[in-house]
Amino acid sequence: DQQVKQNSPSLSVQEGRISILNCDYTNSMFDYFLWYKKYPAEGPTFLISISSIKDKNEDGRFTVFLNKSAKHLSLHIVPSQPGDSAVYFCAARPLAQKLVFGQGTRLTINP
Amino acid sequence: NAGVTQTPKFRILKIGQSMTLQCAQDMNHNYMYWYRQDPGMGLKLIYYSVGAGITDKGEVPNGYNVSRSTTEDFPLRLELAAPSQTSVYFCASSPGQGIGDTQYFGPGTRLTVL
């Protein structure tokens, strides 16, 4: 039972354009959502988060949008840079509970 | 600060062998976690700990054991290695599990069981 799904295993975007990574969830009790970024041979690193009381959170080039009615989360990267090439994991949890991770999306930024 | 450290980085085991994956954190975090990541899959929680002396099972605990004798260390034990345990293992820690508490990950241990 995959409670957090990232349906696109990979995404290729041209440098300077917008990258949009998507994530769907099924558990309506989730109230905190995070995105992690992972480079090869490294552990995931925290990128940005959003709580269920908000619908948008911005941090520099990264913006996360939350649509609770659709149970959908997205990460926008503008403009995309070569260093953004990595695997991105969406994660979610109910209050004070353990994180549930999606399968990841491999983002490739082409020069 | 070193953050979360894991040893070894790589290991090859034969079926039936045992080993311990080491994890240490220097951030004085109460919570620690062990995950495994299989190809094309997300991270699956094996075990976690909310403080020294307290551990609990995650989603995929079978074949593993943990202990937490200190705040800093959280070793993961494989007693009888099986090919299904071939994976990349990540240790993580966090101050708590409230809003704003994010998990910090180690670099991972790539384990192959032949």
Side-chain angles (χ1 to χ4, degrees):
Chain A
D1 178 25
Q2 190 76 25
Q3 297 187 66
V4 178
K5 291 183 183 179
Q6 293 176 256
N7 292 314
S8 298
S10 62
L11 176 67
S12 187
V13 173
Q14 194 170 0
E15 182 179 357
R17 299 287 183 97
I18 183 171
S19 295
I20 300 176
L21 294 94
N22 294 304
C23 177
D24 296 301
Y25 62 95
T26 58
N27 189 339
S28 58
M29 299 302 290
F30 286 148
D31 72 344
Y32 190 50
F33 304 86
L34 307 90
W35 284 95
Y36 281 83
K37 177 178 179 179
K38 184 184 177 306
Y39 291 119
E42 295 184 10
T45 55
F46 170 72
L47 188 58
I48 192 168
S49 64
I50 188 167
S51 75
S52 60
I53 62 173
K54 293 186 174 183
D55 55 19
K56 178 182 174 181
N57 188 26
E58 224 171 323
D59 183 1
R61 296 186 298 113
F62 302 92
T63 303
V64 57
F65 295 91
L66 176 62
N67 183 333
K68 289 189 291 294
S69 60
K71 294 190 176 70
H72 180 78
L73 189 70
S74 63
L75 174 68
H76 292 210
I77 306 173
V78 183
S80 301
Q81 299 175 354
D84 297 329
S85 294
V87 176
Y88 290 79
F89 290 100
C90 168
R93 67 159 187 250
L95 182 62
Q97 297 296 317
K98 301 172 287 298
L99 279 179
V100 178
F101 284 84
Q103 309 96 307
T105 297
R106 181 179 301 279
L107 175 65
T108 302
I109 306 301
N110 301 308
Chain B
N1 282 348
V4 179
T5 57
Q6 291 183 239
T7 55
K9 287 192 183 336
F10 305 94
R11 184 72 186 267
I12 298 175
L13 283 181
K14 293 183 179 177
I15 294 172
Q17 286 185 319
S18 61
M19 76 164 294
T20 300
L21 282 68
Q22 301 291 345
C23 174
Q25 54 95 5
D26 62 1
M27 297 174 282
N28 201 32
H29 286 170
N30 288 321
Y31 287 71
M32 294 188 75
Y33 313 82
W34 273 106
Y35 293 91
R36 60 177 286 172
Q37 186 195 4
D38 299 325
M41 305 292 287
L43 284 77
K44 302 283 188 186
L45 183 65
I46 305 171
Y47 270 96
Y48 69 102
S49 169
V50 302
I54 307 170
T55 63
D56 205 352
K57 295 178 181 178
E59 189 180 352
V60 289
N62 292 343
Y64 307 95
N65 276 302
V66 293
S67 59
R68 183 98 181 269
S69 56
T70 66
T71 299
E72 294 78 18
D73 300 298
F74 190 41
L76 177 72
R77 178 84 177 161
L78 283 72
E79 289 295 347
L80 289 169
S84 61
Q85 293 178 304
T86 294
S87 189
V88 181
Y89 291 83
F90 292 102
C91 178
S93 71
S94 67
Q97 288 194 139
I99 296 291
D101 285 325
T102 58
Q103 293 184 17
Y104 297 83
F105 285 81
T109 294
R110 184 175 294 275
L111 176 67
T112 302
V113 182
L114 301 173

